[in-house]
Amino acid sequence: MMRKRQLYLRIVLLLLATGAVSLLGGDTETRRPVWPPPPDAPRIAWQETWDQATLFSGQDGFFDRIGRFLFGRKEVPFDTPYALCITGDRAGILDSGTATLWLVDRAGGDIRPADTGRAGPMASPVAITADAAGSMFVTDSGRRQILIFDADGRFTGYLGSPVAWERPVGIACTAAGDRFWVSDSQRHQIVCLDAAGRQTGVIGRRGDGPGQFNFPGQLALDGSGRLYVVDSLNFRVQVFSPGGDFLLAFGSAGDRPGSFARPRGITVSRHGHVYVSDALSDVVQMFDDQGRLLMDFGRPGRGPGEFAMPAGLAVDGDDRLYVADHQNHRIQVFRFLGEQ
Amino acid sequence: MSRTRFIYRTLLAGLAVLLGAGLAHARIEGTAHDLRSGSGGDMCRFCHAPHLASGQRALWSRGANNRVYTPYTSPTMRAAPGQPDGSSRLCLSCHDGTIAPNQAGPGATWNNFSLSDRANLSTDLSDDHPVSIHLHAGGGIVRPASQAAVRLDARGKVQCTSCHDAHNGRYDYFLVDSNVSSRLCLYCHDPDGWDQNIHTVSNATFARENPWNTSYRTVMENACENCHRPHQAGRRQTLLKRMTVNDTCLACHDGNFGLAGNIAPAFNRISSHAAIHCDDCHASHSMVQTSGHVPPDVPATLGWIDGVTVDGIPREKADFGYEVCFKCHGENQPRRPLIGRQVMTVAVSHAFATVNPSFHPVAGPGRSQNVPSLYNGWTVTSFVECTDCHGDDEGTGTRGAHGSNFRPLLARNYETADFTMESPAAYALCYACHDRNSILEDRSFRGHTLHIVGENTPCSACHDPHGVAQQSGATPLNNTHLINFDTGIVLPEDSTGRLEFQDDGDLMGRCTLKCHGENHLEEKYDAFTIKLRWRR
């Protein structure tokens, strides 16, 4: 009974939508949201959304989509994307809800799950990074391991000793893949590894002083090798030199721009801009390399440029920013419009 | 309201908040939720973002300077379906596998509360109890009392905070109350028949390994958590602890609790119900352990289970045991006959209709008032249950139709092949109620011995054990006494082409047929003479 009523409702909605689109001419190009709003010069534009429908509808025709709209979606396990990385034309998306690594070929529109092979299912994958060759490195905070996948998405081995971690969370690596930084949130420290996974250094201990951490989370490297650490429960970002020396920290606990409620994802663009997502404020804030707030964008919701507990961030070489919009079950793509 | 009273009240309210905060502070200290990196400092800010008077000046965006983020419940913020809202956002922002764990073992995650309304639960991907959902009373769900330990949030939604008090580590897992005997669950869940349920009252404990995820050690104390897990459930929609219903039941019913209730071996026998689900026949929330029941009433061990009447009408709660069987073996469920017969019954339930010329007394008292062979307490007024014939064969602590080495799931051996040597074992199923001595002494039909011993024909050559359905063409003239010939053994008479039994009254009748090469043409028998003539 309920289903039937819902079906009729959807048919009516579809007819209405068809009419509306033809009247308005479907001119979406000019209505892409930008930030900051006028009168300030726009710096960030919303580009597109990758969700269950857009990612998995590659083979569908028009009527398949109508059918899906009327009769409901086919069950596709794209649940809660938590983190992602971009390597060449490929995106690696970690779905923490289904513990799956999805490989998205952005050119061909192809999407498929990575093959964990003999490693078995992942438990709690929370961060991913890639080197220039396309190898991907995934931290599994549940299994306490770092899994390595080759460019074809096949599991090839573990980074570092399987017993080295208490709760590995963030991971970042150099483009050459010769140096890795891994945060262990339970031990409140950052570990540096070489290409073979041997530990070459450790930063920090629990505390709120410079170079100390309270549950360090996601990590990012900038073009010059500086390390950016989301120091979650100190409500700040700390920056370290390539050698691991403390450089600066910015941010504090709060509900105003420049402060953090639950800082989660971080990435640094080729321009040296630092993006930090906040899971509680539903916002992405943008800082310069000195930690000065440039702008913020996003608010709670599910429209373009709205977030539900955003998590991991990534940038590519074309000034695009990817946001794992965790509880909206999607990735949102933005473009940096330049400094003008 | 006077000005002084207003000030007085404001001060009082402020004092209450301070006191509450102080109390919360004291209870958090030293728990896992005391997230301070040192011993001093403010422990509230980890969840309650401090309200700053002003933020950083945003170099590119003048508008940003007046913004205030809304990290917590806000009347203007309404989550769309599928999104956690309210205080649950606070919990999930740490319990995502980074700051706090989101899992308990490989493959188990607990941050995907992907659903937020009951209508969508069927497509839920989450393996956790849903949060940020409105509570809809009815259908086994009740609204917790306003002063209950389990509370809904200000908008009437279930949140993490309904069961967990992040400020108070007095109970395990920061629960708002002890969950012994699933006290917490029962604030909102009120399953039919729960109070007498074996899973609520049993003091049993495991013999081998601990099947529970709690610190409790009896079935009674675990209650809901015997089968369900609020987090990291195996089967997502119903939050069962294993992937399937049967696996969930067999986690305990595999001998781990002793012989009683050990279902696992039965499911491995030649003929079993392992392919259907335990909850097709058992309502686990209302199963009652009893020493017995009066057939044809539904056994209390099945619980308040649904069924289908002998007439094919579905009912929410079965009154009679056979109605549970008729869910699958009834109307619209054509049977796969093992034996070809004169009158082919379409559905098993048709065979038991009380309008039939003959039937085993399952759905109503039997027709024949003269059945001399009945013994072991059976009389012509007894009811037979499906499970009297179809049940576990080895008697290893379980009753009912779980599994048997005799097809089709028979409680005892029952040979149906022609030329079977008569023995107590060959027809053990029939001889359980029909005294073999009586049969072989020909106290009812005078030709029994001649046929089953002399000619080695099985009982099933002439008798159709369920009944002969009027609906399929059975008549009071030709199909009394369960007579419905096996057409693989009994053939039409050569000269007339007829295959027929005719009832001529009590213990009298005539047959026209060919069997084992011998033709009977209107071959009569009665209580005295026929036996001698046939024994020529």
Side-chain angles (χ1 to χ4, degrees), chain B residues 10 37 76 99 102 115 118 151-152 180 185 201 233 251 310 325 358 365 375 388 457 513:
Chain B
T10 311
S37 56
T76 57
I99 296 165
N102 74 342
L115 248 257
R118 201 165 65 151
R151 290 178 194 202
L152 305 177
V180 66
C185 312
V201 301
V310 69
C325 305
S358 59
Y375 76 140
D388 287 325
T457 48
L513 53 80

Side-chain angles (χ1 to χ4, degrees), chain A residues 36 39-40 43 75 79-80 82 96-97 122-124 126 141-142 167 169 185-186 206-208 214-215 232-235 253-259 261-262 264 273 279-283 285-288 291-302 308-309 326-329 336 339, chain B residues 34-38 45-47 49-72 77 80-84 88-90 92-103 105-109 111-115 122-126 236:
Chain A
D40 295 313
R43 313 283 183 160
E75 194 69 33
D79 191 26
T80 41
Y82 194 86
S96 64
M122 295 189 279
S124 173
V126 287
S141 69
R167 187 177 297 151
V169 176
S185 73
Q186 198 71 8
R206 193 167 194 185
D208 54 8
N214 197 18
F215 295 94
S232 329
L233 294 191
N234 279 330
F235 304 94
D255 57 356
R256 289 282 192 159
S259 62
R262 188 74 74 238
R264 238 183 189 179
H273 298 141
L280 288 182
S281 304
D282 289 324
V283 72
Q285 300 187 61
M286 194 175 171
F287 301 87
D288 69 9
R292 288 178 299 213
L293 180 68
L294 297 174
M295 58 173 285
D296 63 10
F297 60 98
R299 61 179 181 188
R302 54 173 28 185
M309 306 187 74
H326 189 219
Q327 293 292 353
N328 272 331
H329 317 286
F336 176 58
E339 308 222 10
Chain B
D34 182 354
L35 293 162
R36 295 171 298 178
S37 56
R45 66 192 178 119
F46 298 105
C47 293
H51 301 298
L52 303 178
S54 64
Q56 254 200 72
R57 199 172 68 83
L59 299 176
W60 290 352
S61 170
R62 275 167 284 175
N65 301 330
N66 301 321
R67 285 188 72 179
V68 179
Y69 302 139
T70 51
Y72 196 28
M77 201 187 93
Q83 298 174 335
S88 294
R89 282 168 55 90
L90 286 179
L92 297 174
S93 71
C94 283
H95 285 275
D96 62 353
T98 62
I99 296 165
N102 74 342
Q103 61 85 42
T109 63
N111 64 337
N112 49 344
F113 294 78
S114 55
L115 248 257
S122 57
T123 55
D124 193 1
L125 286 170
S126 166
R236 290 167 177 236

Side-chain angles (χ1 to χ4, degrees), chain B residues 490-500 511-522:
Chain B
V490 187
L491 307 172
E493 196 270 339
D494 280 338
S495 63
T496 58
R498 281 162 57 204
L499 169 56
E500 186 180 283
C511 289
T512 304
L513 53 80
K514 186 171 100 175
C515 196
H516 290 187
E518 185 165 339
N519 280 300
H520 294 332
L521 180 59
E522 302 270 334

Side-chain angles (χ1 to χ4, degrees), chain A:
Chain A
M1 192 60 203
M2 200 55 207
R3 273 186 90 92
K4 220 169 198 176
R5 201 181 300 162
Q6 209 167 20
L7 177 69
Y8 293 145
L9 186 72
R10 287 184 183 193
I11 290 174
V12 170
L13 272 175
L14 181 75
L15 293 175
L16 283 175
T18 322
V21 166
S22 58
L23 278 176
L24 294 170
D27 183 14
T28 54
E29 194 64 27
T30 55
R31 282 199 301 278
R32 280 185 180 158
V34 292
W35 297 267
D40 295 313
R43 313 283 183 160
I44 292 280
W46 179 85
Q47 194 92 10
E48 60 183 355
T49 285
W50 299 354
D51 59 11
Q52 194 162 306
T54 60
L55 285 175
F56 290 87
S57 66
Q59 296 83 359
D60 285 0
F62 174 72
F63 290 104
D64 292 317
R65 289 187 204 186
I66 299 245
R68 204 167 48 212
F69 178 73
L70 291 177
F71 302 110
R73 290 231 166 91
K74 276 177 269 178
E75 194 69 33
V76 177
F78 191 69
D79 191 26
T80 41
Y82 194 86
L84 77 169
C85 70
I86 306 291
T87 160
D89 270 343
R90 157 119 19 107
I93 302 175
L94 279 185
D95 184 336
S96 64
T98 59
T100 307
L101 168 57
W102 291 103
L103 302 174
V104 181
D105 187 342
R106 293 186 294 155
D110 177 42
I111 179 163
R112 63 192 168 85
D115 176 13
T116 54
R118 65 189 157 86
M122 295 189 279
S124 173
V126 287
I128 182 168
T129 189
D131 63 17
S135 291
M136 285 167 284
F137 306 85
V138 175
T139 52
D140 188 325
S141 69
R143 291 174 49 147
R144 304 176 187 193
Q145 285 168 332
I146 296 166
L147 287 75
I148 308 175
F149 295 87
D150 67 15
D152 290 326
R154 281 186 301 259
F155 170 77
T156 59
Y158 299 101
L159 180 73
S161 156
V163 293
W165 318 108
E166 202 152 333
R167 187 177 297 151
V169 176
I171 186 164
C173 79
T174 56
D178 56 0
R179 177 187 269 195
F180 295 87
W181 297 99
V182 177
S183 65
D184 190 324
S185 73
Q186 198 71 8
R187 289 187 179 151
H188 309 282
Q189 64 187 22
I190 312 288
V191 176
C192 185
L193 307 170
D194 66 13
R198 283 184 297 260
Q199 187 171 320
T200 58
V202 173
I203 309 176
R205 59 183 171 85
R206 193 167 194 185
D208 54 8
Q212 296 179 337
F213 303 106
N214 197 18
F215 295 94
Q218 305 277 348
L219 306 177
L221 288 172
D222 71 6
S224 58
R226 297 202 305 174
L227 174 69
Y228 291 74
V229 181
V230 173
D231 189 4
S232 329
L233 294 191
N234 279 330
F235 304 94
R236 64 184 179 179
V237 171
Q238 292 197 66
V239 189
F240 297 87
S241 74
D245 297 320
F246 172 82
L247 296 177
L248 69 128
F250 57 89
S252 61
D255 57 356
R256 289 282 192 159
S259 62
F260 300 116
R262 188 74 74 238
R264 238 183 189 179
I266 190 166
T267 190
V268 187
S269 75
R270 64 192 173 110
H271 307 283
H273 298 141
V274 185
Y275 298 88
V276 182
S277 66
D278 195 305
L280 288 182
S281 304
D282 289 324
V283 72
V284 173
Q285 300 187 61
M286 194 175 171
F287 301 87
D288 69 9
D289 57 2
Q290 294 306 305
R292 288 178 299 213
L293 180 68
L294 297 174
M295 58 173 285
D296 63 10
F297 60 98
R299 61 179 181 188
R302 54 173 28 185
E306 296 178 337
F307 302 115
M309 306 187 74
L313 302 174
V315 285
D316 66 12
D318 294 326
D319 289 340
R320 277 186 292 253
L321 169 73
Y322 303 81
V323 181
D325 194 2
H326 189 219
Q327 293 292 353
N328 272 331
H329 317 286
R330 65 183 182 181
I331 306 289
Q332 287 196 73
V333 186
F334 299 85
R335 181 187 282 277
F336 176 58
L337 300 172
E339 308 222 10
Q340 294 165 357

Side-chain angles (χ1 to χ4, degrees), chain B residues 361 365-366 368-369 374 378-383:
Chain B
S368 177
Q369 294 307 302
L374 288 177
W378 295 93
T379 70
V380 290
T381 59
S382 301
F383 277 88

